[in-house]
Amino acid sequence: MARYVDLELIEKERKNTVRRQFLGQPVLMMVVVALGLFLFLFSFFPIIKIIIKILWNKKVFDPTIITKTFHDTYFWESFGNSLLLGFLSAFLSTVIGFVFAFSAVRSDMKGKSFFNLIATLPIIAPPFVMSLAMILLFGRSGLISRGLFHLKNASVYGLRGLLVVQTLAFFPLAYLNIKGVLECINRSVEDAAESLGASKWHVFRTVTLPLCIPAVFSSFLLVFIKSISDFGNPQLLGGNFETLSSRAYLVINGMYDTRTGSLIAISILLPSIMAFLIERYWISKKSFVTVTGKPQNATDRPKNTRLDHFCFITCSLIAALVILFYGTVILVSLVKTWGVDMSISLDNFRFAISRGGQYIKDSLILALLATPLTALVGMIIAYLVVRKQFFGKRFIEFSSMLTFAVPGIVLGIGYIISFNTKPFILTGTAAILVIALMFRNMSIGIEAGTNNLRQIDPSIEEASTNQGAGQVYTFWHVTLPLIRSAIYTTMINAFVRSMTSVSAVIFLVSVHWNLLTVMIMSEVENSRLGVAAAYCVILMAMVLVAFACLKMVVDNIGITKKGKRK
């Protein structure tokens, strides 16, 4: 009993210490309070409004819709299909992303810059573009299935087609996340193992791979959530393989049943939140610090020819598929009528620019506004979660991931319901689009930031504060330069996802502010594939230019006026 009392007193004293430290740091307290209010308003509040919408029918409490939906066999079939597709896509995407990242950072294979470019191509266009290319190449009238192999009943619909498309579309998320962590791992740790006689495979299995566990788990989580909440690809390639997102979209847009559709879509939260909690529990039990601030001596490592050949062949096969898919999109944009008149023409681009110039301008403005805000808020939250102890830490960590787990169509509906009346009238403005894009993409930055910060010994930042530097100065000139790879990952993902987002903003666009992806979807629905492909090529070109600009911005973080890094 005495031991129990002692432990209780220790825990109480620990909480009192955290409270005193929190109250003694007014800057930290203001940041936490501001973030808490911001996250509640744009993360929890829309979900609460959706739940109210589901449970109340014409201001009358009516929960019978839950029983009706959960007794529907189609619902549980869609639920199982979503989980199966999510797990398989996340597993394959994480494996391919890890191979690409390891090849780029740890191998001596040739063509690293080329493969790095190929690995980022799938994220610079809407994911459903891969589905269009899949149909054009391998469908019943596909260029390969019908033109080369003369198959009359070729079908790409169902689980197999979706698995290929989602794996190719989402593996860059895992690649960028894992690559940033591999770059932060101190090579001397692996050198020490090899100097003791361990083989390269043993070092990889017992040192490198365990240190990458945070990135591997978070990559799996991000792809899993992205996969089960995607509705563009299942809508085009699902066929009889119906997922929760495609069924919810059908109910909302086809049957005009917002209550049932929202209930179906919001049920995706359960597996998403469970995956998030499992990942957090696993990572919190381990330490992954390798960057300590101590001098590191570079060592000449002998080349492993077999490893380099394996990495080159594997990356080449995946790169060939990516080039084939996106090459098809480019080819469609350059011909007059696919399958009818294959003559080269720029008519699709002329029509796209003359008709969609305002869409292109609006997309660019909104993405440029959302990108730096997403990166800044994401890094601040990651820093607070990893480095600080304060009240409300779990709330900030959970709520920052919540809107990423919520399907985009549900988030859009929640924002329309929540911010269409006083005192928060934001519908039809650029602000609601920027905020929606921020919250849909912020979790990627938080994951990348927390993974990088776990690799860095806190004593580096403590040394700065011990020399009299303030917390803001230390964060800007010490912490941010050390996690530049995470910032670059966040800004790239934020800009690309802002330019290519569909589900989260399709209900939020207006006559004043619209997005290029909405125009692409409209052209696809009207069977103007050439024009839709031209818009995609324009979008990809804009994103590639942004890659170079963002790289220069991130490389200058922490640079003084004299050109030296702090």
Side-chain angles (χ1 to χ4, degrees), residues 277-492:
L277 294 177
I278 291 173
E279 186 257 356
R280 278 293 179 269
Y281 176 79
W282 179 274
I283 298 302
S284 64
K285 299 298 181 181
K286 299 179 180 293
S287 174
F288 303 92
V289 172
T290 62
V291 180
T292 61
K294 298 179 181 179
Q296 300 176 15
N297 296 322
T299 57
D300 294 328
R301 303 168 68 89
K303 292 185 177 181
N304 189 330
T305 306
R306 288 188 298 177
L307 174 64
D308 295 341
H309 287 168
F310 170 79
C311 292
F312 182 80
I313 292 172
T314 304
C315 292
S316 296
L317 291 174
I318 300 299
L321 279 177
V322 174
I323 292 173
L324 176 64
F325 275 66
Y326 283 93
T328 302
V329 174
I330 296 173
L331 180 60
V332 172
S333 70
L334 292 173
V335 299
K336 285 189 175 182
T337 306
W338 179 260
V340 178
D341 186 353
M342 300 293 286
S343 59
I344 302 298
S345 173
L346 296 177
D347 290 344
N348 291 325
F349 287 95
R350 295 190 188 99
F351 182 83
I353 294 174
S354 63
R355 186 183 179 187
Q358 187 61 42
Y359 291 81
I360 297 173
K361 180 181 176 181
D362 289 349
S363 298
L364 186 60
I365 292 174
L366 293 172
L368 290 175
L369 290 173
T371 297
L373 292 174
T374 303
L376 179 60
V377 176
M379 292 303 106
I380 291 175
I381 292 177
Y383 178 77
L384 292 176
V385 168
V386 176
R387 289 289 191 258
K388 300 295 181 180
Q389 294 293 331
F390 55 90
F391 288 99
K393 180 177 178 178
R394 295 297 182 188
F395 170 79
I396 288 180
E397 186 178 12
F398 177 78
S399 58
S400 62
M401 287 290 294
L402 182 60
T403 50
F404 182 81
V406 175
I409 55 175
V410 176
L411 181 67
I413 293 171
Y415 275 29
I416 286 292
I417 296 173
S418 304
F419 307 115
N420 198 32
T421 57
K422 293 181 179 180
F424 307 111
I425 302 179
L426 298 176
T427 304
T429 65
I432 194 171
L433 287 166
V434 171
I435 292 170
L437 293 173
M438 278 184 58
F439 276 86
R440 284 294 289 172
N441 303 319
M442 189 168 58
S443 58
I444 297 176
I446 296 172
E447 285 296 313
T450 53
N451 288 334
N452 272 225
L453 284 169
R454 289 191 182 102
Q455 299 285 336
I456 300 171
D457 196 323
S459 62
I460 300 176
E461 297 153 315
E462 292 172 0
S464 174
T465 56
N466 290 338
Q467 293 296 320
Q471 292 186 1
V472 176
Y473 184 92
T474 299
F475 176 75
W476 180 259
H477 292 283
V478 177
T479 307
L480 288 185
L482 288 172
I483 57 173
R484 286 194 305 276
S485 60
I487 299 173
Y488 179 69
T489 299
T490 303
M491 295 186 74
I492 287 296

Side-chain angles (χ1 to χ4, degrees), residues 180-195:
V181 171
L182 279 171
E183 290 173 340
C184 286
I185 294 177
N186 190 345
R187 293 292 291 265
S188 63
V189 178
E190 298 162 309
D191 292 337
E194 290 187 16
S195 67

Side-chain angles (χ1 to χ4, degrees), residues 32-45:
V32 169
V33 171
L35 277 176
L37 293 175
F38 190 63
L39 289 170
F40 175 80
L41 183 61
F42 296 106
S43 181
F44 272 98
F45 184 63

Side-chain angles (χ1 to χ4, degrees), residues 152-168:
K152 296 182 179 180
N153 297 316
S155 177
V156 295
Y157 300 97
L159 176 62
R160 287 181 298 178
L162 281 173
L163 191 57
V164 172
V165 166
Q166 288 198 344
T167 300
L168 291 178

Side-chain angles (χ1 to χ4, degrees), residues 355 520-529:
R355 186 183 179 187
I520 295 174
M521 191 69 105
S522 175
E523 298 296 343
V524 172
E525 292 173 353
N526 292 323
S527 299
R528 288 194 286 265
L529 300 183

